[in-house]
């Protein structure tokens, strides 16, 4: 299945800032944005997709597919879990960095 290429997530389900420490020992805060699952147009093969973007990890909006809306959301959450695992854990609910515009 092909899914749309999105520049932004315009219908957020959840957004949070996660703090973590890099492998080099630097403290970082990154934004995690998850969109509402949507049906894909028939011209793109149908099905469902859920957009997710994790700054400093996905670098763009990814659209994860599924056979239904919950499956698509679960697949997007796997990306969030992969990020958490890759940095060795995160602290959700961190304060948004000052001076950054999103």
């Amino acid at each position: 299945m092909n899914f749309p290429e999105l520049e932004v997530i315009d219908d957020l389900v959840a957004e949070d800032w996660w703090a973590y420490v890099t492998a080099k020992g630097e403290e970082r805060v990154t934004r995690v944005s998850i969109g509402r699952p949507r049906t894909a147009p028939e011209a793109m093969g149908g099905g469902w997709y859920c957009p997710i973007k994790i700054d400093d990890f996905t670098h763009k909006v990814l659209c994860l597919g599924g056979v239904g809306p919950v499956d698509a959301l679960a697949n997007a959450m796997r990306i969030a879990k992969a990020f958490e695992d890759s940095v060795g854990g995160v602290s959700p609910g961190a304060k948004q960095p000052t001076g950054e515009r999103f």
Side-chain angles (χ1 to χ4, degrees):
M1 281 185 247
N2 296 320
F3 300 110
E5 291 189 23
L6 304 176
E7 295 291 320
V8 296
I9 299 173
D10 59 6
D11 189 8
L12 288 172
V13 168
E15 184 172 59
D16 198 4
W17 294 88
W18 286 1
Y20 62 98
V21 178
T22 68
K24 295 180 181 179
E26 300 169 338
E27 293 182 6
R28 299 284 312 247
V29 176
T30 196
R31 181 176 55 169
V32 178
S33 304
I34 301 170
R36 183 175 313 280
R38 301 176 184 180
T39 56
E42 287 300 319
M44 295 183 156
W48 286 80
Y49 69 93
C50 183
I52 183 170
K53 182 170 189 285
I54 303 174
D55 296 344
D56 304 319
F57 188 66
T58 64
H59 304 291
K60 66 177 187 173
V61 177
L62 300 179
C63 291
L64 284 290
V67 295
V70 174
D71 188 40
L73 178 60
N75 290 332
M77 293 307 299
R78 285 185 181 93
I79 298 297
K81 179 66 172 147
F83 170 70
E84 180 180 9
D85 292 346
S86 76
V87 296
V90 298
S91 295
K95 186 176 178 184
Q96 179 179 346
T98 58
E100 294 189 29
R101 292 180 43 168
F102 293 95

